Amino acid sequence: MKTLRVPEATVTRLSIYSRYLERLDRNGVTTVSSGEIAEGVGVSPAQVRKDLAYFGEFGTRGVGYNVKDLMRYTKKILGLDQDWPLILVGAGNLGYALCTYKGFNSRGFKIVGVFDNDLTKIGKKIAELEVLPMEKMPEVIQEYKARIGIIAVPPRAAQDVADYMVKNGLEAILNFAPVALNLPEGIEIRNVDLSVKLEILTFNLGFKSAQRL
Amino acid sequence: MKTLRVPEATVTRLSIYSRYLERLDRNGVTTVSSGEIAEGVGVSPAQVRKDLAYFGEFGTRGVGYNVKDLMRYTKKILGLDQDWPLILVGAGNLGYALCTYKGFNSRGFKIVGVFDNDLTKIGKKIAELEVLPMEKMPEVIQEYKARIGIIAVPPRAAQDVADYMVKNGLEAILNFAPVALNLPEGIEIRNVDLSVKLEILTFNLGFKSAQRL
DNA sequence: GGTTATAAGTTATAAAATTCACATGCTAGG
DNA sequence: CCTAGCATGTGAATTTTATAACTTATAACC
């Protein structure tokens, strides 16, 4: 089988296209061109076509793409034709926000267990979910067949949490703690860093000011 | 003046190096090599040196980098030798989490105003800050000379909030709503998308499963 | 039914980013 | 003072990614 590697940037954009298509669909739009998608998400039309070309032919020449179909295709490609149970560790403010974040649910993500080692948090409820002690994680993972974990704990605790997740069979981790995690081969890990983008802004603002001198 | 463009990926990594250096410094480490930084943040040593080379020579051949110095340099480059007042719109759970997020404060970011148009939220306190109605934004921006805004509202409201921010003089926006914002030339905008990275994970998990067949 | 306009798909080109490999310069030790 | 060892800084080579240009297919219209 010819396996051509898909750039991560392409997958990122695919996710964005996918959500944009959902919006178009909600608005009753039935057909869309690469140019319109490009316009809607802020990339070039060629980029849209190139990205889609990694996965097949989804459009009709001279016409464009059927919104509903392309939406389904993109979701399927991203693995979103199924629901994904998520394990969350960290019942602080960020954990709370993630639990209640609508953007997850609408894409088929569902947090099925919230864990913390802080005794003052255990037992409390977050959006109908009781915060559980870490020891309960194995059984929750089993019950829901969870494969993905989210880390929303302070930096110093993140590595231990990650290790525990891996030990209990999780295969992928989304890490909100601003530290690089060290994990065994084969475990998928991605970081969401809340302040890096902010620092890109300050960098650019500084640069802009310098330009004016 | 020779103005060579700095890749955004380089700025991103610089931010990560910078925080890693802070950690080393806290731990009392005084000298570090490009290889150690690379190891610590998960990139190649050449990458570290190349990234730094955009901005000058900071190390000593045969020795490495002075941790404290390089930390200061990186912060300076990123514009973090000063404090940055931030304007936040959206007093929902995400907004609340951002208000209390320690990762901001430790880098010199300070949220100086929280705004919402939801009457049930206005007047409430989030971490010593009272949630204000949108109309109060102009005076808060003036008072603190704020230049950066954060959007933490539902997608459908994001564009209006962005327009309002720009109208009132903000020059840069960090957008947590999963939509592409349309803004005038010269306004810096970056998106933080909480679910894109998650979808990269599901994509990769799906791919992994396919490989096994 | 042929023709034209349109937009996808594809190939080629260009640009960008990363890696590699080496020369340079510093420090320490004899 | 000279030499050996080491890690930076850098220019070249490679790889990757994005843009542009072109070809092909479809549909609508005369």
Side-chain angles (χ1 to χ4, degrees):
Chain A
M1 176 188 165
K2 175 88 168 293
T3 311
L4 79 171
R5 218 186 108 275
V6 179
E8 182 148 322
T10 289
V11 181
T12 299
R13 285 188 296 263
L14 205 69
S15 165
I16 293 168
Y17 302 156
S18 181
R19 219 166 16 203
Y20 181 65
L21 289 162
E22 280 194 326
R23 200 171 103 206
L24 290 180
D25 185 45
R26 270 200 309 276
N27 293 348
V29 181
T30 57
T31 305
V32 70
S33 70
S34 60
E36 290 166 314
I37 298 176
E39 169 79 20
V41 305
V43 302
S44 74
Q47 184 79 80
V48 173
R49 297 198 298 273
K50 199 73 191 278
D51 285 336
L52 294 173
Y54 279 99
F55 306 100
E57 303 187 8
F58 307 105
T60 308
R61 300 182 186 200
V63 180
Y65 303 91
N66 178 286
V67 171
K68 245 187 227 306
D69 288 348
L70 189 56
M71 181 187 75
R72 289 208 195 94
Y73 282 129
T74 52
K75 291 189 77 168
K76 174 103 188 261
I77 292 164
L78 292 166
L80 303 181
D81 51 345
Q82 58 179 279
D83 282 351
W84 289 90
L86 304 176
I87 299 294
L88 170 68
V89 176
N93 292 326
L94 182 57
Y96 193 95
L98 294 173
C99 270
T100 56
Y101 184 59
K102 303 221 174 41
F104 286 164
N105 296 297
S106 70
R107 300 290 280 173
F109 295 109
K110 183 157 193 221
I111 294 173
V112 296
V114 187
F115 302 89
D116 208 304
N117 62 5
D118 180 343
L119 294 175
T120 68
K121 287 173 185 154
I122 292 168
K124 287 198 175 163
K125 285 224 164 180
I126 299 184
E128 299 170 20
L129 271 176
E130 188 184 334
V131 179
L132 303 172
M134 296 291 281
E135 308 85 67
K136 287 278 175 73
M137 196 193 291
E139 63 187 80
V140 175
I141 289 175
Q142 282 220 326
E143 182 184 347
Y144 291 96
K145 300 194 191 340
R147 302 173 70 190
I148 302 177
I150 300 181
I151 296 179
V153 301
R156 67 180 174 287
Q159 181 67 56
D160 284 346
V161 170
D163 291 341
Y164 191 71
M165 284 177 163
V166 171
K167 190 179 135 202
N168 286 293
L170 294 185
E171 303 162 62
I173 293 177
L174 187 68
N175 173 38
F176 283 86
V179 287
L181 299 178
N182 222 316
L183 294 173
E185 190 84 6
I187 303 296
E188 290 290 332
I189 166 88
R190 291 297 180 283
N191 298 297
V192 175
D193 195 308
L194 298 179
S195 74
V196 160
K197 294 279 178 79
L198 209 38
E199 299 188 6
I200 292 174
L201 293 179
T202 57
F203 173 82
N204 286 336
L205 287 181
F207 193 73
K208 215 166 75 176
S209 308
Q211 294 283 65
R212 272 201 301 271
L213 299 180
Chain B
M1 176 189 165
K2 175 86 168 295
T3 311
L4 78 171
R5 218 188 108 273
V6 180
E8 182 148 324
T10 289
V11 182
T12 299
R13 285 187 297 263
L14 206 67
S15 164
I16 293 167
Y17 303 157
S18 181
R19 218 165 18 202
Y20 181 65
L21 289 163
E22 280 194 325
R23 199 171 103 207
L24 290 181
D25 185 47
R26 269 200 309 277
N27 293 347
V29 180
T30 57
T31 305
V32 69
S33 69
S34 60
E36 289 166 315
I37 296 176
E39 168 79 22
V41 305
V43 302
S44 73
Q47 184 79 81
V48 173
R49 296 198 298 273
K50 207 43 184 273
D51 286 335
L52 294 175
Y54 278 99
F55 306 100
E57 303 187 8
F58 306 105
T60 308
R61 300 182 186 201
V63 179
Y65 304 91
N66 178 286
V67 171
K68 244 185 227 310
D69 288 348
L70 190 56
M71 181 187 75
R72 287 208 197 94
Y73 282 130
T74 52
K75 291 189 78 167
K76 174 103 188 262
I77 292 165
L78 292 165
L80 303 181
D81 50 347
Q82 58 179 279
D83 282 352
W84 290 89
L86 304 176
I87 299 295
L88 170 67
V89 176
N93 292 323
L94 181 57
Y96 194 95
L98 294 173
C99 271
T100 56
Y101 183 60
K102 302 219 175 45
F104 286 164
N105 296 297
S106 70
R107 299 290 280 173
F109 295 109
K110 182 156 192 223
I111 294 174
V112 296
V114 187
F115 302 89
D116 208 303
N117 62 4
D118 181 341
L119 294 175
T120 66
K121 285 172 186 156
I122 292 168
K124 287 198 175 164
K125 286 224 164 182
I126 298 183
E128 301 171 18
L129 271 177
E130 188 183 333
V131 178
L132 302 172
M134 296 291 281
E135 307 86 67
K136 289 278 174 74
M137 194 191 294
E139 63 186 80
V140 175
I141 289 176
Q142 282 221 325
E143 183 184 348
Y144 292 96
K145 300 193 191 340
R147 303 173 69 191
I148 303 177
I150 300 180
I151 297 180
V153 302
R156 69 180 172 285
Q159 182 66 56
D160 285 344
V161 171
D163 291 340
Y164 191 71
M165 284 177 163
V166 171
K167 190 180 136 202
N168 286 292
L170 295 185
E171 304 163 60
I173 294 177
L174 187 67
N175 173 37
F176 283 86
V179 289
L181 299 179
N182 222 315
L183 295 174
E185 190 84 5
I187 302 296
E188 290 289 332
I189 166 87
R190 291 296 180 284
N191 298 297
V192 176
D193 194 309
L194 299 178
S195 74
V196 161
K197 294 280 178 81
L198 209 37
E199 298 187 7
I200 292 174
L201 292 179
T202 57
F203 173 82
N204 286 334
L205 287 181
F207 194 74
K208 215 166 78 176
S209 308
Q211 294 282 63
R212 272 203 301 272
L213 298 180

